[in-house]
Amino acid sequence: QVQLVESGGGLVQAGGSLRLSCAASGRTFSSYAMGWFRQAPGKERDVVATISWSGGSTYYADSVKGRFTISRDNAKNTVYLQMNSLKPEDTAVYYCAARHYSSSYYDHWGQGTQVTVSS
């Protein structure tokens, strides 16, 4: 089991930057692939970026490629999402999620952190 706590959300102007952090409990953090997802009002939750257990493989949604960077520090049990050149359409609740290497889906979720980008 792993518990996830996000932080770093807030209000920022378009073109600005934010860095989200997700701290995980437990001693087996490196056994989990990690992902960031987001959900805007009235929309479904979508994947933003994912990173493998080792950090050697990443995936980005087309909408954030070149602007967002996902990374992890297994020694600190933390995954990050650096968000640059933010746009109003990036406004959403951002969730951190974990997928054990033996699982096919993300089954551990944080409580979410609000990101609001003003125009």
Side-chain angles (χ1 to χ4, degrees), residues 46-60:
D46 290 327
V47 60
V48 175
T50 64
I51 188 166
S52 62
W53 64 272
S54 67
S57 177
T58 57
Y59 164 85
Y60 295 94

Side-chain angles (χ1 to χ4, degrees), residues 16-80:
S17 298
L18 283 174
R19 188 175 84 153
L20 304 183
S21 299
C22 174
S25 64
R27 296 177 292 177
T28 59
F29 179 69
S30 60
S31 298
Y32 291 83
M34 300 297 296
W36 286 98
F37 296 74
R38 67 186 181 186
Q39 187 168 20
K43 296 187 177 181
E44 295 184 351
R45 187 176 300 185
D46 290 327
V47 60
V48 175
T50 64
I51 188 166
S52 62
W53 64 272
S54 67
S57 177
T58 57
Y59 164 85
Y60 295 94
D62 287 343
S63 58
V64 306
K65 280 181 182 177
R67 300 188 298 121
F68 291 10
T69 302
I70 189 171
S71 61
R72 67 188 295 161
D73 185 338
N74 285 347
K76 295 183 178 180
N77 282 12
T78 302
V79 63
Y80 305 97

